[in-house]
Amino acid sequence: MNELVNGVRAAFAAGGPLARAHGDLRSREGQLDMAGAVARAIEAGDRLVVEAGTGVGKTFAYLVPVLLSGRRALLSTATQALQDQLFARDIPAVARALGLPVRAALLKGRSSYVCLHRLEQALHGPAAAGPRDPAIAAGLAQVLRWATQSRSGDLAELEALDERSPLRPLVTSTRDNCLGASCPRHDDCHVNRARGEALQADWVVINHHLFFADQLLQESGVATLLPRADVVVFDEAHVLNDTGIPFLGRSVGAGQLREVARDLATQGPRWARGQRPWAHLALGIEQATRAIASLPRQTASGGARSRWPGAAPEGVDAAAWAHASAGLGQALLAVQEALLATAQAAAELERLQNRVQALRVVWAGMAPAMAAPSQPDAVRWMEWGERHNWRVVCAPPDSSALFQGLLKDGPSDGRSWIFSSATLGSDDTLGWFTRGLGLDVLPGLRTLRVPSPFDHAAQAALYVPDDLPEPGDAAHTPALADAVARWASRLGGRTLVLTTTLRAAARMADHLEGLVAQGHCTPLRVLAQGRGSRRALLARFRGATEATVLVASASFWEGVDLAGDVLQLLVIDKLPFAPPDDPLMAARAQRTEAAGMNAFNEVHLPEAAMALKQGAGRLIRSETDRGVLVIGDRRLLTRSYGNRLLAVLPDMRRLVDEADMAAALDALVLTRPSTTGCPPT
């Protein structure tokens, strides 16, 4: 059993193969500890959960032992960005350094690849004959030029194609609308090619969504997408629980319905012209979908999720909901009857008929005025998104059932399971993570915490202003914006503001721009979430030549790596407690209280602590980074739980007042290798 561990130690040793291949690679005790733990888990077929702080080098810490073991592996990430990094950079680097080639394949979800058939239909099918937005036409032409040359068909190669682009549903397929073997471009299908390569590979780099989708396919008896692996590694594992929940339940969303309407309008005339009023039927679904999105609503927190314990989602008038819900049901029924009555239906229309039937069944099971979901432990809620998007979901409050089923056999099944992230808990048991996935009740689980090697006490400072309004006060965001403008002006930009809601991000950005326009602060360029893709905003922030502030929420709390002096001031507006009316949090709290425990201490506070830890981790990303973290929430100083939240943060020196803050910002400016932007004022 020590052979693999010894091999790992030799690989990481000073003068070893990794050091020879990477001259700048420094020996890190924490990295070696993690790599050794992974090696022992692989040898024993164990389950290992590792929290590895920023800078540990966790990617190499799991890649090296997996490669030396010679085992077949699945490597799963939360983001496609890390998928691409693993496949294109990290795996080749480790393989070259150790002289052990490995057949690795990159496999993403179906929507990540161009569908040549749907691209052709968008360009030359019935929908192309009518009036079209010139931007859509130009975009399709660009996709076509790229698609004729791309080997992978991975839309990530098209940097200009935003994740939210209206082009994407036109040029990609879904499980529901894919024609399978009957597709005229089946032999050229990029999805099939990628899956074929994955089944032949030693390692397959996937994302968590694809992992859950594959589990559902296995349960339904459909051929699996992924090969059997000896080792399964989940990087960015902190999001596994929430990622899996929608896959374990049922849902209907505006996106699915618009896709049905779009296919109905294009495929109906193509295969059954004149038999039914296809355009009118498609319009009926679109109007019913928009009617639900347009329902007046009020939510206590202003959040995107609404609980749905009774006749209608909370904050929505029951009569209005019943009317809109019935309208969608009638629109789906009309479409299904039309499809069933169509003579000599082609494969596309048969598949569309099956999709409409499935949507009707799910909608009929969730939308009526039921007192509670039919599943005893399920939670039902409504998600409200941008651009008239919405989704209804009925699902369990966590993903524990799936993982308990997968891991219940332990070492006897021969597989090793590795879960890793920079944020998994606040104690040595990593209970926040293990409880969420139900791993804490499984025997033989090993946990390891590896602290960050960075000297946060020397590299970073923490400031909690005590003179801001209370977080719930309407004056809080404007007051914090005034302070941000003052601090960012002094620093010359290089400021990221993370807010707990998108609404707060918009208010913060508007107030900052107002201060600049009125001449109340040094000119600042304000970048705000919602005014471009995440990738584009980060690129503009990194490349800024003028004093710049980026204001964002949601996904920017994690996975953002702004190393160097690009980011030197990180401001978190409020403690990231989940909204009190969030349906999942409410369900978890209710279950905790039923077990005789305190919901605030066992659910709400740990969730906030992990989110705060994740957000604060955006500041120091390398040994040379310097910066200040500001948390604009005085509850850290005045509430009894403040010390518990402060304890999850790295040990940073504390700034006590504005004079300390000004001195810290001036020191950052003076110690930069090169100073651009505004000088201290």
Side-chain angles (χ1 to χ4, degrees), residues 19 131 175 204 260 270 358 367 459 484 522 548 566 568-569 617 620 657:
R175 178 186 172 191
V204 186
V260 165
R270 183 181 175 206
Q459 294 178 245
V484 168
T522 300
T548 302
V566 172
Q568 293 192 308
L569 174 59
I620 302 299
D657 54 27

Side-chain angles (χ1 to χ4, degrees), residues 188-445:
D188 304 317
C189 178
H190 291 295
V191 174
N192 290 339
R193 180 182 294 116
R195 290 178 177 175
E197 291 174 353
L199 292 174
Q200 299 300 317
D202 301 315
W203 291 2
V204 186
V205 183
I206 61 173
N207 57 55
H208 302 340
H209 286 89
L210 189 59
F211 174 81
F212 285 110
D214 183 64
Q215 295 303 312
L216 291 183
L217 287 178
Q218 290 186 42
E219 291 180 5
S220 63
V222 180
T224 182
L225 303 175
L226 305 175
R228 165 81 180 187
D230 304 309
V231 182
V232 182
V233 179
F234 293 103
D235 202 341
E236 301 177 312
H238 61 281
V239 299
L240 265 178
N241 190 14
D242 287 342
T243 302
I245 288 171
F247 287 90
L248 303 178
R250 299 169 296 151
S251 67
V252 175
Q256 295 169 279
L257 294 164
R258 291 193 191 100
E259 185 72 20
V260 165
R262 190 159 40 237
D263 288 348
L264 189 70
T266 57
Q267 294 173 15
R270 183 181 175 206
W271 295 107
R273 184 178 298 277
Q275 292 193 30
R276 292 292 182 274
W278 302 115
H280 178 73
L281 291 167
L283 181 62
I285 292 182
E286 290 179 351
Q287 289 177 332
T289 302
R290 184 174 288 266
I292 291 177
S294 302
L295 285 171
R297 60 184 184 274
Q298 296 177 345
T299 56
S301 64
R305 271 187 201 150
S306 297
R307 290 192 297 177
W308 188 358
E314 286 188 350
V316 178
D317 179 75
W321 171 260
H323 180 73
S325 173
L328 178 56
Q330 292 165 4
L332 289 171
L333 176 62
V335 170
Q336 186 176 11
E337 290 176 343
L339 291 169
L340 287 171
T342 302
Q344 299 177 344
E348 282 94 336
L349 291 187
E350 290 179 0
R351 288 179 179 272
L352 189 57
Q353 176 184 319
N354 293 335
R355 289 161 60 193
V356 173
Q357 168 68 9
L359 286 170
R360 278 196 66 219
V361 169
V362 175
W363 185 251
M366 287 196 293
M370 300 187 300
S374 56
Q375 298 170 272
D377 296 328
V379 185
R380 189 174 50 163
W381 70 87
M382 189 86 183
E383 294 180 359
W384 305 101
E386 300 175 347
R387 301 182 179 180
H388 296 285
N389 282 321
W390 53 264
R391 184 171 64 153
V392 295
V393 184
C394 183
D398 59 39
S399 300
S400 59
L402 173 67
F403 280 94
Q404 287 177 345
L406 287 173
L407 278 68
K408 68 179 187 306
D409 295 331
S412 62
D413 74 351
R415 279 196 292 181
S416 305
W417 298 80
I418 314 296
F419 303 85
S420 180
S421 173
T423 308
L424 292 178
S426 57
D427 56 29
D428 289 341
T429 68
L430 302 177
W432 172 80
F433 175 76
T434 58
R435 284 195 299 270
L437 289 189
L439 305 182
D440 57 323
V441 299
L442 298 175
L445 178 72

Side-chain angles (χ1 to χ4, degrees), residues 59-76:
T59 304
F60 275 32
Y62 64 73
L63 288 180
V64 169
V66 174
L67 183 57
L68 290 174
S69 75
R71 310 286 177 90
R72 202 173 196 189
L74 291 178
L75 309 174
S76 182

Side-chain angles (χ1 to χ4, degrees), residues 89-104:
R89 190 186 76 184
D90 296 337
I91 292 174
V94 170
R96 284 194 303 267
L98 300 183
L100 295 173
V102 61
R103 290 183 303 170

